Amino acid sequence: MLFTNPILLLSTLATFSTALPTTTDPNLPSRTTPSRETHTIIAGRPGLRFDPEVIVAPIGSILEFHFLPANHSVVQSSFSKPCQTLSATSFYSGFFPVSKNPDGSVAQNPEVFQVEVKDAEPIWFYCAQNGAGGHCKGGMVGVVNQRVESGKTLGEFRKLAAGFEGPAGVQGSVQGGWRGKNPNPNGGF
Ligand SMILES: *[C@@H]1O[C@H](CO)[C@@H](O)[C@H](O)[C@H]1NC(C)=O
Ligand SMILES: [Cu+2]
C-alpha cells in the first residue's frame, strides 16, 4: 500500500538516490569519495618551493601534499605571522624525509598529507624545516584562496616570512588533516 501513489513512489526513490555517503570523521576525508576534487601540491621543488604555491580550491575539496627530498613539512599559519602556527588546532603534517633516487628520477615520500578546505577563507602555509637557513624564511610558503584585492598576497606573505627570526613553529603532533599512503610514490603526482 505504501507505493500505490506513483508520485509518492518517485519522490521516495529520489530521496534514497540522492542520499550522500556518510563519513565517520569529517576531519579524515576519504580519497575514495568520488565527489572530492583533489589539488596536488608538491613540496620541495628546486629552490625550496611548493608547487603550485597559489592554489584556488573550492569548499569541500582536498589539498594533497606530496613531499620530495630531502625533508619537508606543511604547517598552517596566519598571513601576518608567517612561520608560526595559526592556532592550537590548525593543521600540521609532521616531517616527511625521503632520500634522492640514485638514478636521478624524482623521489617522493611514500606518504602524503591531505587537508580538507572547510571554508572560503585564505589558508596560509609554510614548511617548518629549519635547516638550510630555514625553509619558511627562505620563501617555502603558499596560500589557498588568496584575495588579491585585500593586499594580502603570496608576495607580501613571503616578504613577511623573509623577516621572520627564530625557529619555525610546529605542533606537538600531526593534526588537522590526514597522513596516509601515497597513491603513486614511484612517479607522477
Ligand atoms: C627531518 O626534519 C626534522 C625537523 O628538523 C627532524 O626532526 C628529523 O630528524 C628529520 N628527519 C630526517 C630523517 O632527517
Ligand atoms: Cu621545506
Side-chain angles (χ1 to χ4, degrees):
M1 298 319 109
L2 185 57
F3 293 137
T4 48
N5 179 335
I7 302 208
L8 177 62
L9 172 59
L10 283 174
S11 65
T12 306
L13 289 175
T15 304
F16 287 141
S17 65
T18 56
L20 292 169
T22 53
T23 52
T24 49
D25 184 346
N27 294 318
L28 300 178
S30 166
R31 69 169 64 252
T32 57
T33 306
S35 58
R36 298 274 185 166
E37 177 179 322
T38 301
H39 298 264
T40 300
I41 303 159
I42 302 156
R45 286 288 204 209
L48 297 180
R49 289 287 187 270
F50 289 99
D51 179 21
E53 54 188 13
V54 175
I55 298 104
V56 178
I59 296 171
S61 63
I62 300 294
L63 311 172
E64 183 174 280
F65 293 89
H66 291 238
F67 297 87
L68 305 190
N71 188 1
H72 302 283
S73 63
V74 62
V75 192
Q76 187 176 13
S77 76
S78 63
F79 171 80
S80 55
K81 291 183 175 174
C83 317
Q84 297 165 72
T85 57
L86 172 65
S87 73
T89 56
S90 53
F91 70 73
Y92 171 61
S93 69
F95 283 86
F96 287 69
V98 56
S99 304
K100 286 186 179 167
N101 284 339
D103 67 0
S105 62
V106 177
Q108 39 171 329
N109 191 282
E111 292 189 325
V112 297
F113 185 66
Q114 291 187 331
V115 172
E116 181 184 9
V117 177
K118 296 203 177 87
D119 57 41
E121 295 303 307
I123 299 169
W124 303 95
F125 62 85
Y126 63 94
C127 173
Q129 181 53 261
N130 288 309
H135 292 192
C136 181
K137 188 177 169 66
M140 192 169 175
V141 294
V143 61
V144 179
N145 298 334
Q146 72 174 350
R147 295 188 186 134
V148 173
E149 71 283 1
S150 71
K152 293 179 178 177
T153 60
L154 181 69
E156 293 304 311
F157 184 58
R158 182 169 278 141
K159 277 187 212 161
L160 290 172
F164 179 75
E165 297 298 342
V170 294
Q171 303 281 10
S173 58
V174 176
Q175 63 182 40
W178 176 66
R179 184 167 173 152
K181 196 168 178 292
N182 191 327
N184 191 3
N186 297 320
F189 296 100

